[in-house]
Amino acid sequence: MSRIVYVNAEFVPEAEARVSVFDRGFLMADGVYEVTSVLGGKLIDFAGHVARLERSLKELDMAMPMSAEALLAVHRELVARNEVIDGSVYLQITRGSSGDRDFVFPDPGVTPQTVVMFTQSKLGMAETPLARTGIRVISIDDIRWHRRDIKTVQLLYPSMGKMMAKAAGCDDAWLVEDGMVTEGTSNNAYIVRGNTIITRQLGNDILHGITRAAVLRFAREAQMTVEERPFTIAEAQAADEAFITSASMFVMPVVEIDGAKVGTGKPGALTARLREIYLDESRKAAI
Ligand code: PMP
């Protein structure tokens, strides 16, 4: 089905959408993005995604192109026009095109940002059978830049990481720096020991996941203990359970790390409970 996408204040069929070849997002990965999930036609954690967008833009000296209310209206219009029931809305803002290639940032007063949004439909994504089997991950070196807290469109290494995982017959990769897991290629990483959830603390080393924030809040409310600290692959392999979180995977069990089974090799009970709580609460709060 041909989608209606949003490009610089216009809703157009995807085949008619145009961005300049000089766009800095294309030439320099000079842009940020957000992905907001849609369940039952409603947006999940929208306020969190907008807050992180504002932060990413600020860190790169870019302005918010429109108010949070206007962004919400565009998200909703795209969901409605494309009849999305379950899926996501992708949003990307770049520093625009000055009409040439130049390392120097263009004057924002002269060069408008490029704002692109589109939907992806994935009916029934919250009921994916993967959640019942769990995923298998490999570990790879984390060679990304050191501002991973900014959600930029520089996704080459995460893409390569997913290809390395695929080549190894696995689903995804966890990134390791100085012997410690930072996060997954496109998700935050967790291990569980007893009633305790362990995940790396926030900082410049990882993306501040919106799903992470919600899941940790629900975990504490459910009397689980949360420890925010780094862990090794060996500790993860010896843990009772492991999982990842992201806007599109929600809470997804990890059952194998570098060929070693985690716990029983089946999704853990705490992980399953957290996934259920997260989905229930998110659906209730969806807008
Ligand atoms: N870490 C990285 C590197 C990511 O790309 C993502 C997803 N974009 C996440 C974590 C999870 O963030 P969120 O829960 O906001 O989707």
Side-chain angles (χ1 to χ4, degrees), residues 50-285:
V50 171
R52 183 172 62 189
L53 173 70
E54 263 191 284
R55 180 178 180 279
S56 292
L57 288 167
K58 191 158 163 273
E59 292 297 313
L60 296 177
D61 274 331
M62 284 199 250
M64 272 283 272
M66 61 181 96
S67 67
E69 294 71 37
L71 275 176
L72 176 60
V74 177
H75 275 67
R76 282 180 163 159
E77 178 138 11
L78 279 176
V79 168
R81 286 205 191 198
N82 293 292
E83 298 174 8
V84 180
I85 300 180
D86 302 327
S88 57
V89 181
Y90 176 89
L91 151 73
Q92 178 169 331
I93 299 168
T94 79
R95 211 179 301 269
S97 159
S98 63
D100 204 353
R101 180 174 182 271
D102 189 347
F103 280 83
V104 175
F105 289 177
D107 177 350
V110 177
T111 300
Q113 293 166 315
T114 300
V115 182
V116 168
M117 291 185 231
F118 58 80
T119 54
Q120 293 187 284
S121 276
K122 217 171 165 191
L123 195 59
M125 71 171 173
E127 288 80 42
T128 172
L130 254 193
R132 287 195 294 278
T133 55
I135 63 163
R136 296 154 64 223
V137 303
I138 57 167
S139 65
I140 61 173
D141 277 348
D142 195 343
I143 60 165
R144 298 172 302 163
W145 80 327
H146 285 281
R147 288 307 307 275
R148 301 157 192 162
D149 55 311
I150 309 173
K151 197 167 169 61
T152 74
V153 296
Q154 311 176 53
L155 296 177
L156 180 55
Y157 192 62
S159 254
M160 290 169 70
K162 285 189 193 279
M163 294 309 291
M164 289 183 239
K166 203 173 160 190
C170 288
D171 304 291
D172 210 340
W174 278 11
L175 306 168
V176 176
E177 186 172 55
D178 300 329
M180 298 291 173
V181 174
T182 50
E183 60 186 332
T185 56
S186 63
N187 41 69
N188 291 114
Y190 308 73
I191 57 174
V192 177
R193 286 191 93 100
N195 193 42
T196 302
I197 298 166
I198 301 156
T199 192
R200 196 182 180 98
Q201 71 282 6
L202 297 181
N204 295 343
D205 310 325
I206 63 168
L207 187 76
H208 301 189
I210 300 308
T211 320
R212 178 189 184 280
V215 162
L216 294 186
R217 188 173 74 246
F218 298 140
R220 287 180 173 117
E221 284 170 11
Q223 315 305 324
M224 298 169 189
T225 308
V226 176
E227 254 180 52
E228 295 183 70
R229 62 160 175 88
F231 57 85
T232 63
I233 288 292
E235 187 180 3
Q237 288 171 326
D240 298 328
E241 302 180 23
F243 65 91
I244 56 169
T245 65
S246 75
S248 46
M249 298 285 262
F250 311 117
V251 176
M252 179 62 64
V254 171
V255 294
E256 195 183 297
I257 304 171
D258 284 340
K261 280 191 169 65
V262 180
T264 61
K266 299 248 159 35
L270 183 145
T271 302
R273 192 165 154 233
L274 258 187
R275 179 179 172 90
E276 201 179 298
I277 298 175
Y278 176 77
L279 283 170
D280 281 355
E281 294 299 321
S282 301
R283 282 184 198 274
K284 272 192 244 161

